[in-house]
Amino acid sequence: DRSWYNRAGVEHVMGFCNEAQYKRFLELCPFFEKNIVENGIKLFKYWLEVSNEEQKLRFEARIDDPLRQWKLSNMDLPSRERWFEFSRARDTMLAATDTDFAPWHVVNSNDKKRARLNVISHLLSEIPYKPVKREKVKLPERSKKKEYDDLSPMKKKRWIPEKY
């Protein structure tokens, strides 16, 4: 949600750009991305899809939990009311910018941890990789030179409780 595609999403839905700017972005975006790809840059685009139900749960958790309230921006609640407008904007953006040379990859992100792992796995599978031969590493023994009791000075320090 912090990308240049905001022009096609939040800026359009929330009225931060005019209709001409919005249409121009959707028109030029594929040409810009093609230029990037043709110049040898690998471009990966991931759309993190969250269900209406999961987004509601996340927002409620942010409202109820003082430790999560900082995640609730001034845009979140008004944008929540416009779920279907954002869904239409998503569909329009994906239709205009999902190309063979720069495709969108849609990620089920209702479970954040699984979504992260799936994106990492997918990204790594898309990048050519050849194992690098390395010499076997051997952990050296500690030198006894200048040896002293390094544990005793730590006993009287202010250690925090180990709760976990």
Side-chain angles (χ1 to χ4, degrees):
D1 55 323
R2 291 169 193 86
S3 75
W4 78 308
Y5 295 99
N6 275 354
R7 175 57 49 102
V10 69
E11 289 182 23
H12 171 64
V13 174
M14 300 305 285
F16 298 138
C17 68
N18 63 40
E19 195 67 18
Q21 292 169 322
Y22 166 68
K23 287 182 178 182
R24 185 78 171 142
F25 174 82
L26 292 176
E27 177 187 331
L28 290 179
C29 184
F31 295 107
F32 179 74
E33 291 176 347
K34 188 169 183 110
N35 189 7
I36 289 172
V37 172
E38 286 178 347
N39 280 285
I41 296 172
K42 291 193 175 289
L43 180 60
F44 297 97
K45 301 185 310 192
Y46 292 98
W47 180 264
L48 305 179
E49 182 68 14
V50 179
S51 70
N52 183 29
E53 297 77 21
E54 179 61 23
Q55 188 195 56
K56 182 176 187 272
L57 291 172
R58 289 180 187 178
F59 279 15
E60 288 171 344
R62 290 174 186 174
I63 289 168
D64 295 337
D65 184 349
L67 298 177
R68 293 185 186 177
Q69 285 176 359
W70 66 272
K71 290 182 170 186
L72 207 54
S73 76
N74 293 338
M75 286 280 88
D76 286 337
L77 298 179
S79 68
R80 174 83 182 131
E81 293 174 326
R82 298 176 182 192
W83 175 266
F84 295 111
E85 291 173 70
F86 274 100
S87 296
R88 281 188 194 90
R90 173 206 58 206
D91 295 343
T92 301
M93 182 199 68
L94 292 176
T97 63
D98 184 23
T99 60
D100 289 338
F101 54 84
W104 278 100
H105 302 283
V106 180
V107 182
N108 177 349
S109 61
N110 284 337
D111 182 318
K112 290 180 183 182
K113 183 176 181 179
R114 288 176 191 231
R116 288 182 189 115
L117 292 173
N118 287 327
V119 168
I120 292 167
S121 175
H122 180 266
L123 180 63
L124 291 176
S125 75
E126 294 292 311
I127 298 172
Y129 171 77
K130 291 180 183 170
V132 176
K133 288 193 173 194
R134 299 174 191 257
E135 290 183 30
K136 185 160 174 76
V137 176
K138 184 180 177 202
L139 186 65
E141 294 293 324
R142 279 208 178 135
S143 170
K144 301 272 185 185
K145 192 176 180 181
K146 300 183 182 180
E147 183 178 19
Y148 82 105
D149 178 7
D150 61 328
L151 299 177
S152 292
M154 297 304 293
K155 289 179 183 174
K156 295 179 183 174
K157 299 299 177 197
R158 295 183 188 110
W159 290 80
I160 65 166
E162 290 188 22
K163 295 182 180 180
Y164 307 103

